[in-house]
Amino acid sequence: MDKSIPLTIAVPKGRLQGVVIELLEKVGIDCRELRSPSRRLIVPVPDTKWRFLLSKPTDVPTYVEYGAADLGVVGKDTLLENGKAVAELVDLGLGRCRLVVAVPEASGIRDVQELDFNSRVATIFPNITTDYFNRQGIQAEVVELNGSVELGPIVGLADAIVDITETGTTLLENGLIPIADVAQVSTRLIANQVSYKVKHGTIHSLVRKLQVVLRAETDTGMEG
Ligand code: PRP
């Protein structure tokens, strides 16, 4: 990793930030500044020309596509939903979860083909959801929400939801049951397409180090 080449890495703020920092430290990137409490959104990597850009998770692909960041860390769900033109380099295996169709358990529905014509489906992923139901040949009305989509069926806004499930607790506690898998989700390292060519040596060296760390963790059963 040639740290004299300028490199900007977009890191998602919030839920994943801690595990992303741990992984970056394992490949030898100094994250002290990133760990120190601050409201700064651009954070330098000491003694290098590298820096972090702290972004809302769903905006990471946008910063990378436009070259404001050379690299970014982002969930596969966001990549599928946004459809940005970026290079997907490594499955970092962090934040593993499933994107599922779920319905009220009391509805008795156990297969997506049992959903009524024009059923309403609430989701924060309208593109993924529309594409999924089109592929299934099911006519559905997709209702876009910004979060807490489990509320939709409870208050009669929707017949089903498409959402992330990790432990299954949120579905269970809201009387919902998954009836179909839409996608497996985990966190990916992505690159700006031009940066990937122009800074290939530096980026490739980082990718190799990440692969070594991830393989070692898989071998010891420590994968996050
Ligand atoms: C996510 C997701 C589910 C929940 C699933 O929500 O949308 O609601 O986590 O996790 P579980 O299966 O472990 O219960 P998040 O907390 O990101 O907030 P949101 O509902 O506002 O999107």
Side-chain angles (χ1 to χ4, degrees), residues 15 124 146-150 163-170:
R15 200 190 260 246
I124 64 168
N146 288 304
S148 302
V149 298
E150 294 86 355
D163 199 18
I164 295 294
T165 180
E166 188 179 353
T167 62
T169 307
T170 311

Side-chain angles (χ1 to χ4, degrees), residues 142-204:
V142 177
V143 181
E144 184 174 356
L145 294 175
N146 288 304
S148 302
V149 298
E150 294 86 355
L151 258 179
I154 297 174
V155 297
L157 175 73
D159 305 291
I161 64 169
V162 167
D163 199 18
I164 295 294
T165 180
E166 188 179 353
T167 62
T169 307
T170 311
L171 290 179
L172 191 67
E173 292 193 357
N174 290 288
L176 300 167
I177 181 170
I179 57 168
D181 279 342
V182 176
Q184 301 292 322
V185 173
S186 57
T187 305
R188 311 296 162 103
L189 180 73
I190 58 172
N192 172 267
Q193 292 179 335
V194 175
S195 300
Y196 189 55
K197 288 185 187 138
V198 175
K199 303 180 184 181
H200 187 266
T202 302
I203 292 175
H204 188 63

Side-chain angles (χ1 to χ4, degrees), residues 24-96:
L24 295 175
E25 285 176 334
K26 284 179 189 161
V27 295
I29 301 176
D30 186 342
C31 295
R32 263 174 302 165
E33 297 274 347
L34 202 50
R35 282 189 181 280
S36 70
S38 152
R39 297 289 294 171
R40 282 178 305 169
L41 298 173
I42 294 285
V43 180
V45 178
D47 306 321
T48 72
K49 289 192 172 171
W50 292 20
R51 62 183 191 165
F52 298 111
L53 179 160
L54 280 165
S55 153
K56 193 174 152 78
T58 48
D59 289 338
V60 167
T62 306
Y63 286 109
V64 173
E65 181 183 42
Y66 284 93
D70 301 293
L71 296 174
V73 177
V74 63
K76 182 69 178 175
D77 49 344
T78 300
L79 277 182
L80 289 170
E81 180 63 24
N82 290 5
K84 298 288 184 190
V86 295
E88 192 178 319
L89 304 184
V90 187
D91 182 349
L92 301 175
L94 306 170
R96 280 195 195 284

